[in-house]
Amino acid sequence: MKLSVKGFDIHSGFLDGAEQRAVLVAVRAVVAKAPFFRPVMPNGALMSVRMTAAGKYGWVSDEKGYRYSQFHPAGVAWPEIPTEVLAIWREVTGLERQPECCLVNYYGAEAKMGLHRDRDEASMEWPVVSVSLGDEGLFRMGNMTRGGKTQSHWLRSGDVVVMGGEARLAYHGIDRIRAGSSKLLPKGGRLNLTLRVVE
Ligand code: MD3
Ligand code: FE
């Protein structure tokens, strides 16, 4: 574990190959019901990351801004969060409380996510759990306010990260992916699942 921000906990190689493939099968079923879309940022630009979600809430963005919604942009409810994914949350957090959102991000070779904070949830007391699948992604962690020193870490397929405490409110993003670094996804790219308590 290289990053030293309090509350940031990396479980490197948490999922073995068979477990990664099982989660992937479950994610594909989610994507079949709730296809990926590219959110439009409030400035009008399309995000490079493709997104969808499972659970009671998904995260959407349009001319009205960013928000959680009970509906996919096509107007349908989100599929349920796969049991394999809920099991990961339970194992790494030990919480009885279950997440209401499993955001699914897909990074193609050129995709990235700028530094931002996750603060659309009603309470910041709950951790966020992230599961990486496929190509490696260069994760960057900043501070509670914009600016200052940042720390970078390559997230690999099967890594699970828990952000709680101070880390929960820190700026973070994905600078780039390393295309072709994993054989998990036949078409390449990186999938990231983030589990959150929303209400
Ligand atoms: C640190 N996703 O969806 S996951 C996001 O890899 C997001 O797709 C990135 O940032 C991705 O909002 C990073 C790791 C992560 C997720 C949530 C956090 C790190 C976090 C919340 C607070 C601090
Ligand atoms: Fe985030």
Side-chain angles (χ1 to χ4, degrees):
M1 218 280 282
K2 189 166 151 279
L3 298 192
S4 59
V5 177
K6 251 190 225 158
F8 184 90
D9 199 4
I10 304 184
H11 302 262
S12 297
F14 187 83
L15 301 176
D16 66 22
E19 290 166 335
Q20 291 171 44
R21 288 188 289 276
V23 173
L24 179 58
V25 167
V27 170
R28 284 188 175 132
V30 166
V31 175
K33 293 182 197 150
F36 281 115
F37 57 94
R38 281 178 73 179
V40 183
M41 296 185 285
N43 70 4
L46 276 177
M47 287 183 71
S48 58
V49 177
R50 272 122 174 118
M51 291 187 179
T52 188
K56 182 172 179 185
Y57 296 99
W59 191 83
V60 299
S61 176
D62 55 25
E63 67 285 347
K64 289 182 263 177
Y66 302 121
R67 72 203 129 83
Y68 279 104
S69 164
Q70 302 205 50
F71 304 99
H72 181 278
V76 296
W78 307 97
E80 291 201 353
I81 302 178
T83 53
E84 297 87 339
V85 178
L86 290 174
I88 297 169
W89 167 274
R90 187 69 215 279
E91 268 188 81
V92 298
T93 68
L95 293 169
E96 291 297 329
R97 178 75 137 93
Q98 293 197 340
E100 290 116 13
C101 175
C102 173
L103 184 67
V104 182
N105 292 333
Y106 175 75
Y107 296 75
E110 305 300 320
K112 56 186 161 43
M113 190 182 284
L115 282 177
H116 67 279
R117 295 201 291 169
D118 292 17
R119 44 177 191 176
D120 293 333
E121 300 75 29
S123 166
M124 298 293 131
E125 306 288 311
W126 302 100
V128 175
V129 171
S130 143
V131 180
S132 292
L133 294 173
D135 286 337
E136 294 167 16
L138 186 57
F139 177 75
R140 186 201 290 256
M141 187 79 163
N143 305 285
M144 313 284 277
T145 53
R146 265 194 194 284
K149 279 190 188 168
T150 64
Q151 291 176 284
S152 294
H153 177 87
W154 283 99
L155 289 174
R156 296 189 179 81
S157 196
D159 289 355
V160 173
V161 180
V162 182
M163 276 74 50
E166 279 180 23
R168 178 68 181 78
L169 287 161
Y171 277 86
H172 60 277
I174 296 287
D175 286 344
R176 60 194 158 92
I177 75 158
R178 211 177 241 159
S181 53
S182 163
K183 291 196 221 348
L184 184 72
L185 308 182
K187 292 177 185 167
R190 172 174 184 267
L191 277 171
N192 182 263
L193 314 180
T194 49
L195 294 162
R196 296 185 181 82
V197 170
V198 173
E199 293 180 334

